[in-house]
Amino acid sequence: MKKIERLLVANRGVSAVRVMHTCRDRNIPTTAVYSTPDHLGYHVVMADKAVNIGEAPPAESYLNMENILQAAFQTGSDAIHPGWGFLAENADFARMVQDAGLIWVGPPPELISKLGDKAQARKMAVAAGVPIIPGTEDVNTVDDALAWLDDSGVDYPIMIKAASGGGGRGLVRVDRAEDLEQALSQARSEAEKAFGSGILILEKFILNARHIEVQILVDQSGNAVHLYERECTIQRRNQKVIEEAPSPSLDEDLRHEICGQAIALVNSIGYHSVGTVEFILDSDTGKYYFLEVNTRLQVEHGLTELTTGYDLVGLMIDVAEGKSLEITQDDVQPNRWAIEVRLNAEDPETFGPSFGTITRLRTPDGPNLRVATGIYQGASVPPYYDSLLMLIMSAGHDRERALKVMDRALGRSLRVEGVKTLKPLLMSIIRHPAFREGDFSTRFIDKNIQDLVKAFREPTAEDEILNVAKYIAEVSALGPRSWV
Amino acid sequence: MSNNPVFKPGMSPAEIVRKVRSLPGVAITSTGMRDAGQSDFKNRLRIHDQKTLTPHYERMDLFSAEVHGGARWHVGLLNRRESPFEETTILRERMPSVLLQTLIRETSLWGYRPYPRNVIEYVVSQVDIDVWRCFSFLNDVRNMRTICEVVMGRGLLFEPAVSFTQADWATNDYYLGVVGDMVSLCGGVDEIVLCIKDMAGVGSPERIRELIDTILQKYPDMVVQYHRHSTDGLALPALLAAAQAGARLLDAQEDSLTRFYGQAPIMSLHAYLEEAGIPVLLNRSEAGAAVQKARDWVRQYEWAESPFKGFDHNVIEHRMPGGAFPSSFEQAEAGGFLHLMPQILQVMSLYNRIVHYFDVTPGSQMTWVTCSGTVNRYAKEFGLAGVNRLIALLKKFIEEVDQDLDRLDPEEKDELMEFFVTAPGDFKNLLIGRYGKLPAGWPDDWVYQSAFGDQWEEKLAERSEDSPLDALEDEDLDTMRAELAARLEWDPSEEEFILYLMHPKDTIDMIEFREDYGQSPMVLPTSVWHSGLVRPGEKVDFRMRDKPHTVELVSVGEEHDGYITVVLRINNQTQVFSVETPNVIKTEIRMARSDSDVGSPITGSVWRLGNPRRGGIAGGDIVHEGEEIANIEAMKMENAIVAPFNGRIAQICVGLNESVVENQLLFVLEEE
């Protein structure tokens, strides 16, 4: 048992700020690290100390392991929390942290490494008796892929994945034999760039898939509990957009079965810290398959915190400090419905990234809301990083009421000016009849994009006054317009 | 307070006509919200101000209020950035008891070209107006048929208007012929009002008395309305003469809006007629209140007034209509030829003795463009002396040699033959009958030779006497609607579509303006609409969607690199705007436009040109459909750019590692 005296958060934006909130609750001083363009970032403002770790490109800063360790030494930090993204699932970094005598707030490095390799993860799942999607590992050529298709009898569509991937990168769907070659080369190239390894795996692609994941928590002695599931089916390009807990797709029996499978898996491999076991549920057959284990805090962990009342970052720190779990499975009693939307700085129609300065920001407030933000009014959104600006979570006693709170938050309160955000798309989704009825799959956005976009044209009172003010500004600066 | 008006929406045309006949004297159409603004303020009077008159109109006992049509429609889109549909909605709500009146240009509706029957039917059947005053610049009554059928079919009042001028050919018999055509078109005199439209203000009091008397002798039950501009300075006596001859409806406007080219002042008209023993249906105190109310805002429109002020009795020669006065002078001022106006007006006086039609839209535009263009051409080439030589030549041709070309000297003849060379296309269409029959016959052959050169005989053979209603093919409305939907990227409303049918480009511009600037035209006071906020600390208060708003100017910065920083406080929140000036230097980004252009699907950076198998790519390379030719990275995701068809790279428009925006042109391909 070793108490953490100062925690370095090796991340930026929403993720770093989230970790720092818990540190404040526990009176743990924090160190922020930042790249040069982030020197006025919200996580820097939040931290007690802050160290510049390099220039804008992630490889020079947030992925620069030496500089981050140096920053820890320099500020007297004795522990590192990686947040999510960047180095959160980098086993080498976790090992370096531990080798340097610091506390790694996360799972054991060797498990990060094994579970991060999709092929190995599938083997571990099979060993633990967890069902997996039909697939093949170690595909190098088109011929390898064709041979597997022949042998297994699996038909298109299929999915190509980076063996060491995650977060939707290096994923390519193939619908026709003609596209196989180009898809393989694209996936390999993306995988190399994002994860440093071009090893690919192929899997059957499930057409009407729903994405279910189980939050688990294990201490260093192997005491494990699950904190029930979340559903993250609303995605675009394999990036989650809207998540909720509990899943509207599961009945009680299936819920207990899936959660039990997740516990069985982590128990069989000696995992500790928080983690997420992801499953694909085939809505056509009701069958579920193991997808992967995320060996880190998830973006959407706040949903579980809302439904169960626990602070997952706090529990992660407890485990890292070597404390035994004080909660048993029976203590975990979710008692509400929670929904999260990811407010990204992106064009809601094309999903092209949008950057610039947040000229105005009003975050939603009122009953049953939680907002996790990485920005403030006046902050800049640089083009180099993830586009997540803010997580907005709503809660209610049932799904319908949680959705109403979200509608209020997005429609009546939230205001972001200066960059484009997904807000119009998020609004259209939560108002879409199929979504409200719980009838959707991972292809929901693609299938309904036209309907969703059509519902965008609804200016708010604030847009309207801003339009008028823009006219006043122009005519005040330039004088009477030539056409007037 | 009377709120039981004699005339109100919902009454049948027959009932309206019966009521007018039973009046002891005359009733008034107020043009304060349409022609008054057109004739003296270039149609710039905004609904935001005009709507303040509605409580008074509601109780004024008007026959009708002309609030719609004419050039107000187009100028609304172009300059006021408000739609006529918004205006009628506001007016209906605020003065539900007043008959709303429009002015419509037979087959040209509220546009400038003849529309086919199906467009006319579509548009006229959807506009919420009670009284439809319809004129033809050729007095070609055949062209009114479709509008007449739809309006009468809807149970609304149709008001055919005789375009009036004073000319040797414009005799009583001529006008009786026109009126006769109207009576037979409308099936008698019991469900229509006949308008004498003196759009230039040229009818002398005695001429008007005589004409109306002649008409009423032949059609004693006809309800006649006299519409007249003030340009010659004789509006009031002419209106009295009309009333004494039996006209029952007269047009007038707020005294405080009266300048020189619009209608007569309503309070003066009322007093003048009553003194002459003709009772006028009018709530004088409400009319006076409206006059006073208009005084509150009209001073904000000084910038919109004609640069040429004062009556102009010479209008009887040049015949420029009141509605065209301020805009013509504005064009002359903007074009730097205001000093040539006396000469242009003189040429107009002579021109209209060669080609006979009525100087009102679209004819007035043809006259203006032809005459101002010719005078400018002469001024540029030969100076003022040259212009005067042209005028002398035209005078000689008309006054001395009776328009006999052979009686001119050969070089004079050659010069005159140049007169119509630069005439606009619309004028050439007029010559070959595209607008209908000319009122006093086709011009002489030399006009065709001058306008069409070598092709004149062909063109003459093409000339048709048919009405455009019979000549024009129906348009495919579904295709046009789809075209608009594609432009807007949403399904247009009926109103957007009708605007588009009349003025396609200007409608798109107006809709885009409103997308950018929202309700500005509807909510801002005119001083701010025109000049903005001038001093720091100056505020504007307004209501929008039933809530109060305040915008305050904090500062306007100096121009820097083509931008001016403006700081406003919007409802107490500070907001900074970076306003682009005309000096801004823009690096032009080429966008993909045609099928052979390959654009970027996303904003990102070009990290590869070509593909791993073939390597790089160069201009002239052959590529195959579906082959990756570049790759754009954005947010760490790769996006393959594939060739849309088998072809050859004609041009590579970006460099490696260059940042590109969505739809930026990457390649131009050519078919193999």
Side-chain angles (χ1 to χ4, degrees):
Chain A
M1 287 252 293
K2 184 172 180 289
K3 194 174 168 353
I4 293 172
E5 301 294 340
R6 171 178 284 277
L7 182 78
L8 181 145
V9 186
N11 215 305
R12 65 182 299 281
V14 178
S15 155
V17 170
R18 163 66 193 94
V19 173
M20 288 174 190
H21 274 125
T22 290
C23 293
R24 289 225 164 152
D25 292 347
R26 299 169 66 114
N27 288 323
I28 301 172
T30 53
T31 298
V33 293
Y34 63 91
S35 66
T36 304
D38 267 349
H39 73 291
L40 294 178
Y42 190 35
H43 71 293
V44 176
V45 175
M46 279 285 295
D48 299 296
K49 295 184 179 181
V51 180
N52 183 340
I53 49 165
E55 295 309 305
E60 293 177 32
S61 48
Y62 297 107
L63 295 174
N64 186 330
M65 302 186 239
E66 283 80 12
N67 285 7
I68 293 171
L69 278 179
Q70 196 54 45
F73 297 138
Q74 191 187 317
T75 54
S77 307
D78 55 354
I80 292 181
H81 193 300
W84 60 74
F86 294 122
L87 298 168
E89 290 177 291
N90 186 312
D92 293 340
F93 181 61
R95 218 169 273 127
M96 276 172 74
V97 169
Q98 290 185 344
D99 291 350
L102 305 178
I103 295 175
W104 168 250
V105 185
E110 58 281 9
L111 280 177
I112 297 178
S113 161
K114 279 187 190 160
L115 289 166
D117 178 337
K118 286 204 163 74
Q120 286 207 47
R122 283 160 61 95
K123 280 186 195 133
M124 288 191 270
V126 172
V130 181
I132 60 166
I133 303 176
T136 183
E137 295 145 21
D138 203 10
V139 176
N140 283 312
T141 64
V142 178
D143 290 341
D144 292 346
L146 291 173
W148 169 70
L149 282 164
D150 246 16
D151 294 348
S152 63
V154 169
D155 202 4
Y156 291 97
I158 58 170
M159 192 60 125
I160 310 175
K161 301 181 169 187
S164 51
R169 292 189 172 117
L171 281 183
V172 183
R173 176 181 157 180
V174 190
D175 292 312
R176 312 174 302 172
E178 302 90 280
D179 299 337
L180 187 60
E181 184 175 355
Q182 194 199 311
L184 278 169
S185 97
Q186 181 187 334
R188 183 174 300 115
S189 168
E190 272 188 33
E192 274 168 5
K193 251 201 278 194
F195 313 108
S197 155
I199 298 175
L200 301 175
I201 62 180
L202 296 191
E203 276 178 3
K204 173 181 167 58
F205 181 73
I206 292 162
L207 216 50
N208 286 309
R210 302 186 63 130
H211 182 111
I212 315 280
E213 59 185 31
V214 179
Q215 178 68 56
I216 52 102
L217 167 67
V218 193
D219 67 18
Q220 293 192 21
S221 319
N223 302 308
V225 296
H226 67 78
L227 288 89
Y228 292 91
E229 83 288 358
R230 300 182 287 258
E231 171 150 358
C232 315
T233 296
I234 301 292
Q235 309 184 349
R236 56 107 197 141
R237 298 189 192 161
N238 297 305
Q239 302 269 15
K240 295 165 187 170
V241 174
I242 296 184
E243 302 107 334
E244 61 188 301
S247 158
S249 326
L250 301 184
D251 59 26
E252 278 310 303
D253 289 347
L254 199 50
R255 170 168 296 120
H256 281 107
E257 191 180 327
I258 288 185
C259 291
Q261 291 277 13
I263 290 287
L265 175 60
V266 293
N267 273 340
S268 73
I269 57 176
Y271 190 87
H272 67 77
S273 190
V274 302
T276 303
V277 184
E278 296 192 336
F279 297 92
I280 287 289
L281 177 71
D282 186 338
S283 4
D284 298 331
T285 63
K287 284 188 183 159
Y288 63 91
Y289 306 99
F290 167 77
L291 194 62
E292 62 180 334
V293 178
N294 286 318
T295 56
R296 56 174 159 91
L297 186 68
Q298 300 265 106
V299 176
E300 59 273 25
H301 74 280
L303 291 174
T304 302
E305 296 183 328
L306 277 176
T307 57
T308 64
Y310 292 111
D311 172 357
L312 285 173
V313 174
L315 291 165
M316 253 182 122
I317 291 174
D318 285 343
V319 171
E321 287 180 335
K323 287 186 193 150
S324 294
L325 276 193
E326 287 176 5
I327 47 175
T328 66
Q329 192 62 58
D330 286 346
D331 294 333
V332 184
Q333 295 293 341
N335 66 354
R336 69 197 65 192
W337 206 290
I339 294 169
E340 173 179 88
V341 299
R342 297 191 184 192
L343 190 75
N344 290 343
E346 284 168 23
D347 183 308
E349 240 176 284
T350 65
F351 302 110
S354 171
F355 16 87
T357 301
I358 307 286
T359 52
R360 184 183 292 184
L361 177 66
R362 194 182 54 232
T363 50
D365 56 8
N368 284 322
L369 268 175
R370 167 172 161 177
V371 176
T373 179
I375 49 160
Y376 54 89
Q377 183 167 314
S380 57
V381 179
Y384 318 104
Y385 314 112
D386 189 83
S387 58
L388 181 66
L389 296 180
M390 194 186 288
L391 297 169
I392 301 167
M393 287 164 257
S394 68
H397 275 102
D398 53 32
R399 191 168 187 267
E400 185 58 31
R401 275 179 268 200
L403 279 171
K404 285 202 164 133
V405 173
M406 186 59 83
D407 198 301
R408 181 232 304 161
L410 292 176
R412 309 288 297 191
S413 313
L414 174 70
R415 183 88 198 157
V416 182
E417 290 167 19
V419 295
K420 288 186 191 173
T421 74
L422 289 187
K423 180 175 120 166
L425 178 71
L426 299 171
M427 282 294 287
S428 306
I429 296 172
I430 65 161
R431 289 180 174 180
H432 195 281
F435 178 76
R436 293 196 86 95
E437 278 165 30
D439 173 22
F440 49 86
S441 78
T442 47
R443 292 181 303 136
F444 177 82
I445 293 180
D446 289 340
K447 264 164 59 179
N448 296 291
I449 189 72
Q450 280 181 335
D451 277 2
L452 294 170
V453 168
K454 262 192 193 153
F456 284 6
R457 275 191 83 231
E458 189 192 293
T460 65
E462 266 166 309
D463 292 328
E464 289 194 321
I465 179 73
L466 210 60
N467 287 339
V468 173
K470 183 174 152 197
Y471 178 78
I472 295 175
E474 291 186 9
V475 71
S476 299
L478 304 173
R481 314 308 295 125
S482 58
W483 45 260
V484 83
Chain B
M1 255 193 311
S2 103
N3 221 351
N4 190 16
V6 180
F7 302 101
K8 54 178 180 260
M11 286 170 63
S12 74
E15 195 181 351
I16 294 174
V17 170
R18 270 200 308 276
K19 290 231 171 168
V20 180
R21 286 175 183 158
S22 69
L23 290 176
V26 300
I28 290 178
T29 291
S30 172
T31 61
M33 296 195 200
R34 209 286 298 176
D35 208 353
Q38 173 161 339
S39 300
D40 281 302
F41 302 93
K42 298 186 299 200
N43 268 314
R44 300 305 202 272
L45 303 186
R46 302 164 66 226
I47 192 68
H48 183 268
D49 292 320
Q50 293 191 339
K51 74 182 179 194
T52 62
L53 306 182
T54 55
H56 308 299
Y57 275 41
E58 182 67 7
R59 296 192 290 264
M60 225 156 104
D61 282 337
L62 290 170
F63 169 69
S64 66
E66 190 190 62
V67 297
H68 185 274
R72 184 166 179 85
W73 234 81
H74 188 213
V75 176
L77 302 179
L78 215 50
N79 308 87
R80 303 192 313 275
R81 311 285 188 177
E82 51 193 26
S83 117
F85 293 100
E86 287 175 307
E87 297 192 296
T88 41
T89 304
I90 290 169
L91 296 174
R92 272 282 184 236
E93 191 178 303
R94 295 175 60 111
M95 47 183 212
S97 319
V98 178
L99 291 177
L100 301 186
Q101 181 162 333
T102 187
L103 177 68
I104 189 164
R105 306 162 180 151
E106 39 108 331
T107 56
S108 302
L109 304 177
W110 300 293
Y112 301 108
R113 67 176 173 99
Y115 291 96
R117 197 181 290 267
N118 70 327
V119 172
I120 299 174
E121 282 169 357
Y122 184 82
V123 171
V124 175
S125 62
Q126 300 200 51
V127 173
D128 178 25
I129 285 292
D130 306 303
V131 183
W132 294 71
R133 183 183 284 171
C134 176
F135 72 92
S136 165
F137 80 112
L138 303 175
N139 272 341
D140 191 338
V141 177
R142 301 172 305 166
N143 298 355
M144 298 180 180
R145 173 171 296 281
T146 307
I147 296 175
C148 171
E149 285 168 357
V150 177
V151 169
M152 295 185 84
R154 288 178 66 190
L156 301 170
L157 183 63
F158 184 64
E159 181 177 343
V162 180
S163 295
F164 172 83
T165 195
Q166 298 218 123
D168 50 5
W169 53 269
T171 60
N172 285 347
D173 282 346
Y174 166 76
Y175 288 119
L176 278 178
V178 176
V179 173
D181 289 346
M182 289 171 174
V183 171
S184 42
L185 174 70
C186 304
V189 301
D190 292 338
E191 294 186 46
I192 57 165
V193 167
L194 176 80
C195 177
I196 308 295
K197 184 174 165 58
D198 187 352
M199 57 270 168
V202 296
S204 72
E206 290 317 308
R207 175 74 187 101
I208 293 303
R209 187 192 308 276
E210 182 201 350
L211 176 62
I212 292 175
D213 186 57
T214 306
I215 293 169
L216 287 176
Q217 280 188 30
K218 179 144 186 209
Y219 303 99
D221 292 331
M222 179 79 88
V223 170
V224 174
Q225 177 155 25
Y226 183 43
H227 168 88
R228 192 197 204 276
H229 288 254
S230 307
T231 315
D232 66 351
L234 293 173
L236 282 174
L239 286 161
L240 175 62
Q244 286 169 336
R248 311 307 295 272
L249 300 170
L250 300 174
D251 287 12
Q253 66 180 53
E254 279 66 33
D255 304 33
S256 48
L257 296 179
T258 306
R259 296 293 182 268
F260 311 105
Y261 315 117
Q263 280 67 55
I266 192 165
M267 304 297 282
S268 317
L269 180 64
H270 175 261
Y272 186 44
L273 292 182
E274 295 250 322
E275 188 190 59
I278 296 172
V280 181
L281 178 68
L282 184 74
N283 180 330
R284 186 174 165 92
S285 73
E286 289 295 341
V291 167
Q292 197 54 42
K293 183 50 87 177
R295 195 163 276 139
D296 287 349
W297 45 256
V298 71
R299 279 189 61 205
Q300 298 181 79
Y301 291 98
E302 277 173 7
W303 53 272
E305 291 189 29
S306 168
F308 182 86
K309 291 189 171 67
F311 293 125
D312 182 11
H313 192 264
N314 275 337
V315 69
I316 63 166
E317 303 288 338
H318 63 69
R319 299 174 192 166
M320 182 181 279
F325 240 91
S327 51
S328 303
F329 280 89
E330 179 192 26
Q331 274 186 38
E333 195 171 39
F337 58 90
L338 194 59
H339 62 286
L340 293 173
M341 281 308 295
Q343 285 77 20
I344 293 171
L345 292 174
Q346 254 183 303
V347 171
M348 285 170 68
S349 313
L350 296 160
Y351 164 97
N352 64 39
R353 292 166 71 179
I354 300 172
V355 189
H356 306 302
Y357 54 81
F358 294 88
D359 266 322
V360 62
T361 306
S364 47
Q365 282 81 356
M366 296 177 194
T367 309
W368 167 254
V369 173
T370 306
C371 297
S372 64
T374 304
V375 168
N376 269 301
R377 180 160 56 87
Y378 267 80
K380 219 169 271 170
E381 285 178 32
F382 314 111
L384 198 57
V387 178
N388 288 332
R389 189 180 77 226
L390 172 72
I391 292 168
L393 171 62
L394 288 169
K395 266 195 184 147
K396 177 176 178 189
F397 176 64
I398 291 159
E399 288 167 8
E400 288 173 28
V401 304
D402 293 330
Q403 303 199 31
D404 183 350
L405 216 55
D406 294 330
R407 288 169 60 195
L408 291 177
D409 300 336
E411 57 272 28
E412 286 175 335
K413 184 177 164 184
D414 288 347
E415 184 162 9
L416 193 62
M417 288 299 290
E418 294 290 307
F419 189 78
F420 291 104
V421 168
T422 54
D426 292 341
F427 175 77
K428 292 177 183 174
N429 283 333
L430 174 78
L431 289 183
I432 57 172
R434 290 285 155 79
Y435 291 86
K437 263 192 310 204
L438 264 59
W442 301 108
D444 292 339
D445 284 357
W446 77 267
V447 175
Y448 288 81
Q449 291 176 44
S450 172
F452 296 112
D454 292 346
Q455 290 176 308
W456 76 275
E457 280 173 304
E458 263 168 63
K459 289 288 175 183
L460 201 58
E462 222 181 276
R463 188 171 74 193
S464 153
E465 302 234 329
D466 289 345
S467 162
L469 283 179
D470 298 318
L472 285 175
E473 300 263 336
D474 278 359
E475 275 172 27
D476 183 347
L477 294 176
D478 291 336
T479 306
M480 294 179 77
R481 187 190 291 273
E483 194 179 282
L484 176 61
R487 261 317 285 273
L488 297 181
E489 298 179 344
W490 66 78
D491 291 336
S493 65
E494 290 298 337
E495 299 177 349
E496 287 168 334
F497 183 50
I498 291 172
L499 295 175
Y500 180 75
L501 285 172
M502 297 295 103
H503 302 284
K505 180 187 169 296
D506 298 329
T507 295
I508 302 270
D509 286 352
M510 139 93 176
I511 292 173
E512 284 175 353
F513 178 91
R514 296 292 290 264
E515 288 281 295
D516 283 348
Y517 302 108
Q519 294 289 304
S520 303
M522 310 309 288
V523 300
L524 289 178
T526 297
S527 61
V528 178
W529 168 250
H530 182 252
S531 318
L533 297 170
V534 182
R535 287 168 291 98
E538 192 176 333
K539 280 181 193 174
V540 54
D541 293 302
F542 56 92
R543 289 183 71 83
M544 186 164 69
R545 303 239 187 258
D546 296 326
K547 281 168 73 172
H549 297 278
T550 300
V551 176
E552 180 186 343
L553 181 67
V554 177
S555 67
V556 176
E558 292 297 313
E559 183 169 345
H560 185 68
D561 286 345
Y563 289 90
I564 294 175
T565 299
V566 178
V567 182
L568 298 178
R569 274 161 54 81
I570 307 167
N571 297 334
N572 283 341
Q573 305 254 10
T574 302
Q575 183 94 20
V576 178
F577 294 86
S578 189
V579 176
E580 205 176 285
T581 75
N583 305 324
V584 74
I585 302 154
K586 281 195 194 155
T587 43
E588 201 162 316
I589 294 173
R590 284 169 72 194
M591 294 293 167
R593 297 198 191 283
S594 71
D595 291 345
S596 58
D597 290 353
V598 181
S600 173
I602 193 166
T603 296
S605 85
V606 182
W607 70 274
R608 183 166 68 209
L609 286 167
N611 61 55
R613 214 165 57 177
R614 80 181 291 154
I617 208 161
D621 283 5
I622 305 284
V623 294
H624 303 289
E625 181 180 338
E627 182 185 355
E628 182 178 329
I629 51 178
N631 204 297
I632 310 285
E633 183 186 303
M635 304 300 276
K636 295 178 247 169
M637 309 276 278
E638 291 186 4
N639 300 273
I641 310 301
V642 299
F645 52 82
N646 291 332
R648 182 190 296 276
I649 303 273
Q651 197 183 356
I652 302 179
C653 310
V654 287
L656 201 60
N657 295 324
E658 193 173 305
S659 295
V660 293
V661 299
E662 188 187 330
N663 201 34
Q664 182 171 343
L665 183 61
L666 304 174
F667 298 95
V668 180
L669 288 194
E670 57 194 16
E671 300 258 8
E672 252 298 281

